[in-house]
Amino acid sequence: MEILVLKDKDLREAVTIKDVIEADKEALKEYSAGNSDIPLRTVIDVDKENSSTAIFMPGYIKDKNALGLKIIDIYPQNIEKGLPSSPSTMILIDDENGFVKAILDGTMLTRLRTGAVAGAATEVLSNEDADKFLLIGTGGQAQTQLEAVLAVRDIKKAYVYDMNFERAKEFAKKMNEELSEYDSEIIAVEDTNEVIEEVDIITTVTTSKNPVFDGTRVKKGVHVNGVGSYTPDMQETPSEFIERADKIFTDTKEGVLEESGDVLIPIEAKKLSEDKVSHELGNLLLGKETGRVSKDEITWFKTVGFAGLDIIVAEKIYRLAKEKGIGQIINM
């Protein structure tokens, strides 16, 4: 049995962010069409005292011959050992014979598919002439979030904000070098209020339990991607903004209503109805929903992620890597 092993650099070499955006669109459509078998993720408390957790995310999309399992392990104490605190691995299985065919770096896979899903939402929901972007949060997910928006819109100025201004400045400098092909000026800001009223697109990618921008100050026509807030007690998107949103789309209605404080907190406070969160981006891509109909509409996309994104993106990376001779083959 041959297994293709793909490290983080192999993933970036095998695909472009636009490749991943298209794969994410397919995953969203397959899910909303009911063609995906995606069980709820399994969470095992390995060491409650140290908050060590193992998370297993399996799934199968028959029409895409995509079968696999992503494993994410949360080990906060790893930082003290000089190791990543959330190592992740993706396993792809051949759906014809049940053998493992590939092992991929799960951390880079997650960054790619998460950035790309916000890119897909930006492509179909933001105004086509949008040219100013604000990225809030400069952690591990930030680069692909930035790149995905630059890939689908002609962004002239991309502002980046982080609670640590020095970190934001370092990130902006690095991104101006690494993403120079997009011809966008990437600028660190010390306060989101400096630019909040002028930007056309906002992406929030933080672990904050409190809103990270002033929802009353965003202009008409803005599109916002809510990427953080993947637990019920996290709320990076202000309820005031969600109340103003004309249209809300999710990656999966079930996941968002189960996991995200961005919607659960305003629903609990009677500031948001569950019905307003019933629209999936996959249905919009399938032509079953109506997206933006005017330049003044305010749109919001909320994602918490699901295994279908990982599996279809991983399958695409696997096929392209094989075609290009990327990665290492091991025999079992």
Side-chain angles (χ1 to χ4, degrees):
M1 177 178 62
E2 288 188 348
I3 300 175
L4 181 62
V5 178
L6 297 168
K7 299 180 181 180
D8 57 353
K9 63 179 182 63
D10 298 325
L11 272 64
R12 290 308 311 247
E13 187 179 349
V15 291
T16 67
I17 196 70
K18 286 189 175 182
D19 291 330
V20 186
I21 288 171
E22 293 307 312
D24 273 351
K25 288 180 184 177
E26 291 302 313
L28 291 164
K29 288 190 289 186
E30 293 291 335
Y31 180 88
S32 292
N35 297 330
S36 301
D37 187 353
I38 309 292
L40 290 175
R41 65 188 75 186
T42 298
V43 180
I44 297 175
D45 289 324
V46 179
D47 183 348
K48 289 187 177 180
E49 184 176 344
N50 290 306
S51 301
S52 300
T53 305
I55 303 170
F56 299 87
M57 299 171 61
Y60 179 47
I61 300 91
K62 184 176 181 179
D63 290 348
K64 301 295 180 181
N65 301 110
L67 174 65
L69 168 72
K70 189 168 82 170
I71 305 167
I72 305 173
D73 300 308
I74 311 299
Y75 276 64
Q77 67 273 23
N78 276 3
I79 295 175
E80 301 169 6
K81 304 173 185 177
L83 297 171
S85 59
S86 55
S88 178
T89 303
M90 182 73 203
I91 299 170
L92 278 181
I93 299 167
D94 190 321
D95 69 337
E96 292 186 358
N97 58 35
F99 283 94
V100 172
K101 64 182 183 182
I103 300 173
L104 295 79
D105 177 84
T107 302
M108 180 55 69
L109 174 67
T110 302
R111 290 175 179 175
L112 285 168
R113 64 84 153 157
T114 307
V117 79
T122 300
E123 184 176 36
V124 297
L125 288 173
S126 70
N127 280 308
E128 291 186 7
D129 61 354
D131 65 1
K132 292 184 178 67
F133 171 48
L134 170 62
L135 174 65
I136 301 176
T138 62
Q141 290 279 349
Q143 180 166 347
T144 54
Q145 293 293 333
L146 174 58
E147 186 177 0
V149 172
L150 299 185
V152 299
R153 286 291 180 264
D154 185 14
I155 301 297
K156 303 302 183 187
K157 290 185 178 180
Y159 302 107
V160 295
Y161 169 81
D162 193 278
M163 289 181 63
N164 183 325
F165 185 47
E166 290 303 314
R167 186 163 57 201
K169 289 193 291 185
E170 290 172 8
F171 177 79
K173 180 181 178 181
K174 182 181 179 184
M175 292 302 100
N176 273 310
E177 295 170 358
E178 296 191 11
L179 301 177
S180 60
E181 65 190 273
Y182 294 102
D183 197 28
S184 175
E185 185 181 6
I186 302 167
I187 306 162
V189 294
E190 199 163 4
D191 186 340
T192 59
N193 287 329
E194 295 174 25
V195 297
I196 196 71
E197 294 176 0
E198 67 176 90
V199 294
D200 309 296
I201 303 164
I202 301 169
T203 293
T204 57
V205 57
T206 75
T207 57
S208 179
K209 294 185 178 181
N210 299 297
V212 295
F213 65 92
D214 186 342
T216 66
R217 297 183 64 175
V218 297
K219 68 179 185 180
K220 289 183 178 180
V222 76
H223 169 69
V224 177
N225 299 303
V227 181
S229 181
Y230 50 84
T231 66
D233 63 341
M234 291 180 183
Q235 188 191 17
E236 59 177 7
T237 308
S239 298
E240 292 78 11
F241 167 78
I242 296 174
E243 286 184 280
R244 292 182 62 198
D246 296 291
K247 291 192 173 76
I248 294 174
F249 286 89
T250 66
D251 55 358
T252 70
K253 174 188 174 182
E254 179 184 26
V256 167
L257 287 173
E258 178 73 23
E259 299 176 8
S260 177
D262 267 355
V263 297
L264 293 174
I265 292 170
I267 286 174
E268 179 68 22
K270 308 298 183 186
K271 293 184 176 182
L272 175 67
S273 70
E274 189 172 315
D275 288 344
K276 197 174 178 181
V277 196
S278 63
H279 309 284
E280 293 180 343
L281 191 63
N283 281 325
L284 175 59
L285 293 166
L286 288 167
K288 297 180 179 180
E289 297 271 9
T290 301
R292 176 181 293 275
V293 295
S294 79
K295 288 182 70 68
D296 286 342
E297 278 194 316
I298 293 174
T299 57
W300 184 51
F301 172 65
K302 179 61 202 169
T303 175
V304 293
F306 66 104
L309 296 170
D310 297 295
I311 294 165
I312 286 187
V313 171
E315 182 68 26
K316 185 164 195 171
I317 292 171
Y318 166 74
R319 292 179 181 177
L320 288 174
K322 282 194 70 177
E323 289 175 10
K324 298 176 181 180
I326 296 169
Q328 177 186 0
I329 294 176
I330 59 175
N331 293 292
M332 297 291 288

